Amino acid sequence: MTEQEEQELRFVLAQLKEEHRDLDTAILAIESTPSPDHLQIKRLKKRKLYLRDRIREIDDQLFPDIIA
C-alpha cells in the first residue's frame, strides 16, 4: 500500500467514525421524543452497523494482524 493510499484510507476512516458518532446522537435524540419514529430508528441503526463493518474493514487494511 502506498503512502497516498494509506492517507486516503485514514481520511475515509475518520469520516466514517464521525458519521457513526453522529448517528448515535441522532438515534438518542429521536428516542427521547414523546413518540419516536421506530422505523427511522431502525434505519439509522442499520446504517450504523454498516458503518461499523466498513470501519473494521479499513482498520484491518491499515493495521493487519501479523502472526509471527
Side-chain angles (χ1 to χ4, degrees), residues 29-44:
I30 293 169
E31 288 177 337
S32 67
T33 61
S35 60
D37 183 350
H38 296 289
L39 182 60
Q40 185 176 11
I41 291 171
K42 187 175 180 178
R43 287 178 180 154
L44 292 176

Side-chain angles (χ1 to χ4, degrees), residues 1-15 58 62:
M1 175 183 315
T2 67
E3 191 172 318
Q4 182 178 355
E5 290 172 334
E6 184 176 334
Q7 287 177 351
E8 289 172 4
L9 280 177
R10 289 182 187 275
F11 179 74
V12 170
L13 183 62
Q15 287 181 319
I58 293 173
L62 290 172

Side-chain angles (χ1 to χ4, degrees), residues 15-37:
Q15 287 181 319
L16 293 175
K17 286 182 177 182
E18 182 178 354
E19 185 178 350
H20 192 269
R21 282 190 303 270
D22 291 345
L23 285 173
D24 272 336
T25 305
I27 290 168
L28 289 174
I30 293 169
E31 288 177 337
S32 67
T33 61
S35 60
D37 183 350

Side-chain angles (χ1 to χ4, degrees), residues 9 12-13 16 49-61:
L9 280 177
V12 170
L13 183 62
L16 293 175
L49 287 173
Y50 167 76
L51 291 174
R52 184 194 67 194
D53 290 343
R54 285 291 298 140
I55 289 168
R56 283 186 181 166
E57 288 174 12
I58 293 173
D59 267 340
D60 287 345
Q61 288 177 354

